[in-house]
Every structure is written in C-alpha cells, then in structure tokens.
Amino acid sequence: MRLANVTDRAHLVVTNSAGSDVLVDIADLSDGRFGPSPTALYDAWDEFRAWADQIEADAETGVAVDRSALAAPSPRPRQVFAVGLNYNEHAAEAGFEPPTDLPPVFTKYVSAFSGPDTEVRIPSGGNVDWEVELVAVMGKQAQHVEEDDAWDYVAGLTVGQDLSERITQLRGPAPQFGLGKSYPGFAPQGPFLVTPDELPDRDNLEIGCRIGDEVVQCGRTNEMIFNVPALVSKISENVTLYPGDVIFTGTPAGVGLGRKPQRFLKSGETLHSWIEGVGEMTQHLV
Ligand code: ZN
C-alpha cells in the first residue's frame, strides 16, 4: 500500500486503468472512520491496515497526483530521530571509526519538514550539504523491541534528505547537529509512504542522489551498519517510540563534506534523490 499526505489529509495511492497513480481520500472512503489526518491514521495503524487490506478503492474516482501539493507522510511526529555514521564508507569519509554498539542519534526539528518537491533556501554564507536517507515511519508504540519483531512496528518507508548546514553543525564546543540540520525545508520527505510489504526486499534497496546530472551518492540500504529493525530495537531500548515517529536512517558515502576539495550546494542547483521502489524527490536550491 502507498499513502500520500495532501493538505493534511491522508490518501491511498492507487493506479487507474490508464496506468496513472491517483489519490483516494481515506476519510471519505471510510465514512470518517480513519483519518482525515495522517497523524490519526498512524495512531490506529493496525486497525487501519486490516480495513485497507479488505477494501477496494475505485481508482476511476481518484484525483490526479499534484506533486507540489504533497507533504511529508508523517507531518507532525511526536519525535524525530536521525542516525549518523550508519554506512561504513560514509563513516570513513567523515573521519570516524564505524559505530559497533550504538550509532550516534540526534534529531531534526519538525519545523524543517516539507514535502518531496521543494525550493530550499541556502542560509546566508552556509555550506549546505546533501544526505539522501531512507526514512522509516513508526506504526506502533515500541519499547524494548526485539530486532526480529521490529519490522512489525514500522508503518512504512519514504525518501528523505537530511540536508545539513555544516558550519552551524560543527560550530561551538560540541557539534550542533539539531540546529545545523533543521533550517526551514532541510527535512524534505516523500513522495509517499510505502508499506514494507510492497518491496521485494525491504532491507536491500538502491539509494542515491544527483546534483543536476552528476550522481553524487549511490549505495544500497543493505550496507547499513544498523538496518531498520536494528535501529528500532536499539532506539527503543532507550526511549519509547510512538506511532508516526520518524527515523532518518543515515546516509551512504558521497556527501560534499567528505570530498577533496569539499563541495556544497549552490543557488540554482537541483538535487534529485531516489530510493528503489520507494520514490523520488527534487529540491531546487535558491
Ligand atoms: Zn544524516
């Protein structure tokens, strides 16, 4: 199943007879039982899934997807987690040993959230870097979850960019990850939430991004040091995860900070990000 968030209303994404993706409003389809906001959907996720699995949405009544109207699939999570150094080659380019027991975990503030296709303003004098990431959205409260059970707690996956202003991030006596990575528009996500059962191999997806035509990151999610179930398990040892919570799972190698010479995004450039089977996003830098 794929879900879209349009103006804070959750929609099913279905394919019509012409082969196009169209949107069906979930609150309308369920006579108000589920939704309308995606937040309400995650709070009743198991019940919603059971209902969604047995209904047949009439795709011919669906409305065309307007990508510019799409918002983050989980727009107001109670908590946002972001994971650092979760791919070996990225840890190396960042100058760190790869984590063995627990990766660095920080947050991106919700005010930085946006939909998949946006214009992102470069802060004055800022070094804005790209980090394409698989994003997991929780579908169930989780505490001390075993790794083997952890996928059952995940509602779905989407594409994310952990855009990072490196000067702020690395300024001061200790790094400022939260502030440096939370300028407006620095957490684009989308286009849809894709449930894990839609993917042939949910633990092994191609992930990448390019600036214009130049591919700058390309990896696979099976290269993660801590995969999605391991992250859910590890994080839930410390904190309670809630439905709708968002986890940015770390970026593969190829960020601008790790290049020689270093390279950052410039006004006028376009950043395209993709994850196999999950979708694509486009950010225009201004
Ligand atoms: Zn990141």
Tab-separated table of all heavy atoms in Angstrom, residues 67-113:
chain	number	residue	atom	x	y	z
A	67	ARG	N	2.171	16.758	-7.425
A	67	ARG	CA	3.325	16.574	-6.531
A	67	ARG	C	3.628	17.805	-5.700
A	67	ARG	O	4.134	17.693	-4.593
A	67	ARG	CB	4.559	16.148	-7.336
A	67	ARG	CG	4.470	14.696	-7.827
A	67	ARG	CD	5.775	14.274	-8.480
A	67	ARG	NE	6.901	14.387	-7.586
A	67	ARG	CZ	7.531	13.362	-7.010
A	67	ARG	NH1	7.148	12.129	-7.243
A	67	ARG	NH2	8.569	13.575	-6.215
A	68	SER	N	3.319	18.984	-6.226
A	68	SER	CA	3.634	20.198	-5.473
A	68	SER	C	2.762	20.320	-4.223
A	68	SER	O	3.077	21.084	-3.307
A	68	SER	CB	3.468	21.437	-6.360
A	68	SER	OG	2.098	21.640	-6.645
A	69	ALA	N	1.643	19.560	-4.168
A	69	ALA	CA	0.746	19.627	-3.007
A	69	ALA	C	1.067	18.559	-1.960
A	69	ALA	O	0.464	18.545	-0.889
A	69	ALA	CB	-0.702	19.465	-3.465
A	70	LEU	N	2.015	17.676	-2.279
A	70	LEU	CA	2.332	16.600	-1.332
A	70	LEU	C	3.137	17.142	-0.157
A	70	LEU	O	4.042	17.971	-0.326
A	70	LEU	CB	3.143	15.498	-2.028
A	70	LEU	CG	2.434	14.719	-3.143
A	70	LEU	CD1	3.413	13.772	-3.842
A	70	LEU	CD2	1.242	13.941	-2.589
A	71	ALA	N	2.806	16.627	1.040
A	71	ALA	CA	3.552	16.989	2.251
A	71	ALA	C	4.225	15.735	2.806
A	71	ALA	O	4.023	14.632	2.290
A	71	ALA	CB	2.593	17.596	3.275
A	72	ALA	N	5.003	15.902	3.866
A	72	ALA	CA	5.676	14.751	4.482
A	72	ALA	C	4.621	13.728	4.909
A	72	ALA	O	3.578	14.106	5.456
A	72	ALA	CB	6.501	15.202	5.669
A	73	PRO	N	4.876	12.428	4.685
A	73	PRO	CA	3.872	11.404	5.033
A	73	PRO	C	3.488	11.409	6.512
A	73	PRO	O	2.341	11.150	6.841
A	73	PRO	CB	4.563	10.093	4.633
A	73	PRO	CG	5.517	10.469	3.558
A	73	PRO	CD	6.013	11.839	3.940
A	74	SER	N	4.415	11.704	7.402
A	74	SER	CA	4.081	11.880	8.817
A	74	SER	C	4.488	13.299	9.204
A	74	SER	O	5.629	13.551	9.570
A	74	SER	CB	4.807	10.856	9.699
A	74	SER	OG	4.435	11.062	11.058
A	75	PRO	N	3.550	14.257	9.105
A	75	PRO	CA	3.936	15.671	9.173
A	75	PRO	C	4.193	16.206	10.578
A	75	PRO	O	4.861	17.217	10.729
A	75	PRO	CB	2.730	16.382	8.548
A	75	PRO	CG	1.573	15.466	8.818
A	75	PRO	CD	2.126	14.068	8.779
A	76	ARG	N	3.637	15.546	11.602
A	76	ARG	CA	3.788	16.060	12.972
A	76	ARG	C	4.125	14.934	13.946
A	76	ARG	O	3.376	14.645	14.871
A	76	ARG	CB	2.498	16.739	13.441
A	76	ARG	CG	2.240	18.108	12.821
A	76	ARG	CD	0.957	18.720	13.359
A	76	ARG	NE	-0.170	17.815	13.198
A	76	ARG	CZ	-0.819	17.619	12.053
A	76	ARG	NH1	-0.453	18.278	10.970
A	76	ARG	NH2	-1.811	16.764	11.991
A	77	PRO	N	5.244	14.265	13.743
A	77	PRO	CA	5.602	13.179	14.661
A	77	PRO	C	5.873	13.723	16.061
A	77	PRO	O	6.279	14.870	16.214
A	77	PRO	CB	6.880	12.609	14.046
A	77	PRO	CG	7.454	13.741	13.252
A	77	PRO	CD	6.295	14.536	12.748
A	78	ARG	N	5.630	12.892	17.065
A	78	ARG	CA	5.992	13.296	18.427
A	78	ARG	C	7.508	13.394	18.549
A	78	ARG	O	8.027	14.208	19.306
A	78	ARG	CB	5.455	12.276	19.421
A	78	ARG	CG	3.916	12.194	19.494
A	78	ARG	CD	3.542	11.017	20.384
A	78	ARG	NE	2.115	10.818	20.558
A	78	ARG	CZ	1.343	10.082	19.752
A	78	ARG	NH1	1.852	9.525	18.674
A	78	ARG	NH2	0.063	9.908	20.019
A	79	GLN	N	8.214	12.537	17.817
A	79	GLN	CA	9.678	12.514	17.905
A	79	GLN	C	10.273	12.250	16.527
A	79	GLN	O	9.693	11.508	15.726
A	79	GLN	CB	10.138	11.400	18.850
A	79	GLN	CG	9.508	11.499	20.234
A	79	GLN	CD	9.897	10.335	21.120
A	79	GLN	OE1	10.797	10.456	21.931
A	79	GLN	NE2	9.228	9.200	20.979
A	80	VAL	N	11.432	12.852	16.308
A	80	VAL	CA	12.184	12.622	15.076
A	80	VAL	C	13.585	12.161	15.470
A	80	VAL	O	14.260	12.841	16.254
A	80	VAL	CB	12.303	13.902	14.231
A	80	VAL	CG1	13.043	13.609	12.926
A	80	VAL	CG2	10.937	14.511	13.963
A	81	PHE	N	14.001	11.027	14.951
A	81	PHE	CA	15.339	10.513	15.216
A	81	PHE	C	16.118	10.534	13.909
A	81	PHE	O	15.574	10.215	12.856
A	81	PHE	CB	15.276	9.081	15.747
A	81	PHE	CG	14.443	8.963	17.000
A	81	PHE	CD1	13.079	8.709	16.921
A	81	PHE	CD2	15.019	9.150	18.245
A	81	PHE	CE1	12.300	8.624	18.068
A	81	PHE	CE2	14.251	9.074	19.394
A	81	PHE	CZ	12.879	8.812	19.308
A	82	ALA	N	17.394	10.906	14.010
A	82	ALA	CA	18.266	10.817	12.849
A	82	ALA	C	19.533	10.114	13.300
A	82	ALA	O	20.012	10.318	14.414
A	82	ALA	CB	18.559	12.200	12.282
A	83	VAL	N	20.036	9.261	12.411
A	83	VAL	CA	21.138	8.373	12.763
A	83	VAL	C	22.361	8.771	11.944
A	83	VAL	O	22.258	9.004	10.740
A	83	VAL	CB	20.730	6.914	12.470
A	83	VAL	CG1	21.895	5.963	12.686
A	83	VAL	CG2	19.534	6.526	13.343
A	84	GLY	N	23.498	8.870	12.625
A	84	GLY	CA	24.741	9.241	11.942
A	84	GLY	C	25.649	8.030	11.757
A	84	GLY	O	25.517	7.015	12.455
A	85	LEU	N	26.565	8.142	10.786
A	85	LEU	CA	27.636	7.148	10.604
A	85	LEU	C	27.099	5.721	10.471
A	85	LEU	O	27.657	4.786	11.029
A	85	LEU	CB	28.633	7.214	11.774
A	85	LEU	CG	29.180	8.598	12.131
A	85	LEU	CD1	30.137	8.495	13.325
A	85	LEU	CD2	29.885	9.239	10.946
A	86	ASN	N	26.022	5.550	9.689
A	86	ASN	CA	25.397	4.232	9.610
A	86	ASN	C	25.801	3.438	8.370
A	86	ASN	O	25.254	2.373	8.114
A	86	ASN	CB	23.876	4.364	9.709
A	86	ASN	CG	23.218	3.063	10.117
A	86	ASN	OD1	23.864	2.186	10.696
A	86	ASN	ND2	21.939	2.918	9.812
A	87	TYR	N	26.728	4.003	7.583
A	87	TYR	CA	27.293	3.261	6.455
A	87	TYR	C	28.814	3.357	6.601
A	87	TYR	O	29.346	4.451	6.858
A	87	TYR	CB	26.888	3.885	5.117
A	87	TYR	CG	25.417	3.741	4.728
A	87	TYR	CD1	24.420	4.504	5.335
A	87	TYR	CD2	25.038	2.865	3.707
A	87	TYR	CE1	23.086	4.396	4.955
A	87	TYR	CE2	23.700	2.753	3.312
A	87	TYR	CZ	22.737	3.519	3.934
A	87	TYR	OH	21.418	3.411	3.541
A	88	ASN	N	29.509	2.239	6.423
A	88	ASN	CA	30.966	2.211	6.652
A	88	ASN	C	31.728	3.270	5.859
A	88	ASN	O	32.550	3.990	6.422
A	88	ASN	CB	31.527	0.823	6.303
A	88	ASN	CG	31.308	-0.159	7.440
A	88	ASN	OD1	31.713	0.101	8.582
A	88	ASN	ND2	30.660	-1.272	7.149
A	89	GLU	N	31.436	3.355	4.555
A	89	GLU	CA	32.212	4.295	3.729
A	89	GLU	C	31.905	5.743	4.082
A	89	GLU	O	32.757	6.617	3.942
A	89	GLU	CB	31.934	4.053	2.242
A	89	GLU	CG	32.629	2.815	1.709
A	89	GLU	CD	32.327	2.585	0.234
A	89	GLU	OE1	32.173	3.570	-0.517
A	89	GLU	OE2	32.234	1.402	-0.164
A	90	HIS	N	30.672	6.000	4.537
A	90	HIS	CA	30.342	7.362	4.965
A	90	HIS	C	31.065	7.686	6.276
A	90	HIS	O	31.576	8.797	6.447
A	90	HIS	CB	28.841	7.559	5.117
A	90	HIS	CG	28.483	8.886	5.725
A	90	HIS	ND1	28.793	10.084	5.104
A	90	HIS	CD2	27.904	9.214	6.904
A	90	HIS	CE1	28.399	11.090	5.883
A	90	HIS	NE2	27.861	10.581	6.982
A	91	ALA	N	31.123	6.729	7.210
A	91	ALA	CA	31.860	6.962	8.455
A	91	ALA	C	33.310	7.282	8.130
A	91	ALA	O	33.906	8.211	8.696
A	91	ALA	CB	31.761	5.738	9.363
A	92	ALA	N	33.889	6.555	7.168
A	92	ALA	CA	35.290	6.778	6.797
A	92	ALA	C	35.487	8.169	6.198
A	92	ALA	O	36.428	8.885	6.564
A	92	ALA	CB	35.739	5.700	5.818
A	93	GLU	N	34.592	8.594	5.285
A	93	GLU	CA	34.759	9.912	4.658
A	93	GLU	C	34.560	11.031	5.676
A	93	GLU	O	35.067	12.137	5.520
A	93	GLU	CB	33.819	10.101	3.454
A	93	GLU	CG	32.364	10.327	3.838
A	93	GLU	CD	31.422	10.497	2.645
A	93	GLU	OE1	31.876	10.630	1.504
A	93	GLU	OE2	30.197	10.477	2.889
A	94	ALA	N	33.787	10.740	6.759
A	94	ALA	CA	33.571	11.733	7.813
A	94	ALA	C	34.706	11.711	8.841
A	94	ALA	O	34.733	12.544	9.750
A	94	ALA	CB	32.231	11.479	8.508
A	95	GLY	N	35.632	10.744	8.694
A	95	GLY	CA	36.803	10.696	9.565
A	95	GLY	C	36.568	9.986	10.888
A	95	GLY	O	37.269	10.244	11.863
A	96	PHE	N	35.570	9.079	10.922
A	96	PHE	CA	35.272	8.358	12.162
A	96	PHE	C	35.399	6.847	11.957
A	96	PHE	O	35.248	6.337	10.840
A	96	PHE	CB	33.836	8.656	12.620
A	96	PHE	CG	33.643	10.065	13.102
A	96	PHE	CD1	33.145	11.040	12.234
A	96	PHE	CD2	33.950	10.433	14.408
A	96	PHE	CE1	32.963	12.351	12.663
A	96	PHE	CE2	33.762	11.731	14.838
A	96	PHE	CZ	33.275	12.695	13.973
A	97	GLU	N	35.650	6.155	13.074
A	97	GLU	CA	35.530	4.702	13.079
A	97	GLU	C	34.037	4.363	12.990
A	97	GLU	O	33.223	5.060	13.595
A	97	GLU	CB	36.092	4.121	14.384
A	97	GLU	CG	37.602	4.227	14.521
A	97	GLU	CD	38.325	3.360	13.492
A	97	GLU	OE1	37.889	2.211	13.300
A	97	GLU	OE2	39.290	3.860	12.880
A	98	PRO	N	33.667	3.325	12.284
A	98	PRO	CA	32.242	2.959	12.256
A	98	PRO	C	31.751	2.537	13.643
A	98	PRO	O	32.498	1.905	14.388
A	98	PRO	CB	32.183	1.775	11.276
A	98	PRO	CG	33.583	1.324	11.094
A	98	PRO	CD	34.497	2.439	11.462
A	99	PRO	N	30.517	2.902	14.003
A	99	PRO	CA	29.996	2.510	15.322
A	99	PRO	C	29.801	0.994	15.398
A	99	PRO	O	29.466	0.366	14.399
A	99	PRO	CB	28.662	3.243	15.397
A	99	PRO	CG	28.275	3.523	13.985
A	99	PRO	CD	29.543	3.660	13.210
A	100	THR	N	30.062	0.431	16.554
A	100	THR	CA	29.888	-1.013	16.718
A	100	THR	C	28.686	-1.342	17.595
A	100	THR	O	27.914	-2.238	17.290
A	100	THR	CB	31.149	-1.642	17.339
A	100	THR	OG1	31.476	-0.898	18.514
A	100	THR	CG2	32.306	-1.611	16.376
A	101	ASP	N	28.507	-0.598	18.673
A	101	ASP	CA	27.445	-0.925	19.615
A	101	ASP	C	26.199	-0.072	19.391
A	101	ASP	O	25.074	-0.574	19.424
A	101	ASP	CB	27.972	-0.719	21.043
A	101	ASP	CG	26.884	-0.930	22.069
A	101	ASP	OD1	26.138	-1.918	21.924
A	101	ASP	OD2	26.775	-0.105	22.994
A	102	LEU	N	26.398	1.232	19.153
A	102	LEU	CA	25.290	2.171	19.029
A	102	LEU	C	25.735	3.318	18.128
A	102	LEU	O	26.777	3.914	18.362
A	102	LEU	CB	24.946	2.708	20.425
A	102	LEU	CG	23.709	3.587	20.581
A	102	LEU	CD1	22.434	2.787	20.345
A	102	LEU	CD2	23.677	4.200	21.990
A	103	PRO	N	24.958	3.635	17.080
A	103	PRO	CA	25.340	4.770	16.231
A	103	PRO	C	24.952	6.084	16.910
A	103	PRO	O	24.116	6.085	17.813
A	103	PRO	CB	24.506	4.552	14.972
A	103	PRO	CG	23.283	3.841	15.459
A	103	PRO	CD	23.711	3.001	16.640
A	104	PRO	N	25.550	7.205	16.490
A	104	PRO	CA	25.099	8.497	17.013
A	104	PRO	C	23.637	8.739	16.605
A	104	PRO	O	23.266	8.486	15.457
A	104	PRO	CB	26.006	9.523	16.332
A	104	PRO	CG	27.053	8.768	15.611
A	104	PRO	CD	26.632	7.341	15.504
A	105	VAL	N	22.831	9.194	17.566
A	105	VAL	CA	21.418	9.501	17.298
A	105	VAL	C	21.167	10.949	17.711
A	105	VAL	O	21.537	11.357	18.802
A	105	VAL	CB	20.480	8.554	18.078
A	105	VAL	CG1	19.014	8.924	17.849
A	105	VAL	CG2	20.720	7.104	17.666
A	106	PHE	N	20.570	11.730	16.805
A	106	PHE	CA	20.268	13.138	17.080
A	106	PHE	C	18.877	13.419	16.534
A	106	PHE	O	18.151	12.488	16.187
A	106	PHE	CB	21.334	14.044	16.445
A	106	PHE	CG	21.551	13.802	14.977
A	106	PHE	CD1	20.863	14.536	14.023
A	106	PHE	CD2	22.419	12.808	14.545
A	106	PHE	CE1	21.057	14.293	12.665
A	106	PHE	CE2	22.603	12.558	13.185
A	106	PHE	CZ	21.923	13.298	12.259
A	107	THR	N	18.462	14.684	16.500
A	107	THR	CA	17.135	14.986	15.949
A	107	THR	C	17.223	16.040	14.857
A	107	THR	O	18.195	16.796	14.779
A	107	THR	CB	16.150	15.448	17.042
A	107	THR	OG1	14.813	15.367	16.528
A	107	THR	CG2	16.411	16.885	17.485
A	108	LYS	N	16.212	16.020	13.999
A	108	LYS	CA	15.927	17.135	13.111
A	108	LYS	C	14.585	17.671	13.593
A	108	LYS	O	13.655	16.894	13.821
A	108	LYS	CB	15.807	16.659	11.654
A	108	LYS	CG	17.115	16.268	11.031
A	108	LYS	CD	16.935	15.670	9.643
A	108	LYS	CE	16.769	16.694	8.535
A	108	LYS	NZ	18.018	17.408	8.166
A	109	TYR	N	14.470	18.982	13.758
A	109	TYR	CA	13.227	19.536	14.296
A	109	TYR	C	12.129	19.518	13.223
A	109	TYR	O	12.404	19.693	12.031
A	109	TYR	CB	13.483	20.942	14.840
A	109	TYR	CG	14.456	20.894	15.992
A	109	TYR	CD1	15.767	21.329	15.844
A	109	TYR	CD2	14.080	20.343	17.213
A	109	TYR	CE1	16.666	21.255	16.894
A	109	TYR	CE2	14.976	20.258	18.270
A	109	TYR	CZ	16.265	20.713	18.106
A	109	TYR	OH	17.163	20.613	19.140
A	110	VAL	N	10.893	19.312	13.704
A	110	VAL	CA	9.756	19.142	12.795
A	110	VAL	C	9.536	20.384	11.924
A	110	VAL	O	9.013	20.290	10.810
A	110	VAL	CB	8.479	18.805	13.597
A	110	VAL	CG1	7.270	18.664	12.682
A	110	VAL	CG2	8.668	17.517	14.372
A	111	SER	N	9.960	21.554	12.427
A	111	SER	CA	9.788	22.784	11.637
A	111	SER	C	10.555	22.728	10.317
A	111	SER	O	10.284	23.513	9.410
A	111	SER	CB	10.229	23.997	12.453
A	111	SER	OG	11.572	23.820	12.878
A	112	ALA	N	11.502	21.788	10.191
A	112	ALA	CA	12.271	21.655	8.947
A	112	ALA	C	11.587	20.733	7.938
A	112	ALA	O	12.051	20.590	6.809
A	112	ALA	CB	13.670	21.114	9.259
A	113	PHE	N	10.471	20.114	8.323
A	113	PHE	CA	9.806	19.143	7.443
A	113	PHE	C	9.171	19.826	6.233
A	113	PHE	O	8.658	20.943	6.320
A	113	PHE	CB	8.681	18.413	8.200
A	113	PHE	CG	9.138	17.217	8.998
A	113	PHE	CD1	10.404	17.176	9.563
A	113	PHE	CD2	8.293	16.138	9.195
A	113	PHE	CE1	10.819	16.073	10.308
A	113	PHE	CE2	8.701	15.038	9.932
A	113	PHE	CZ	9.955	14.995	10.491
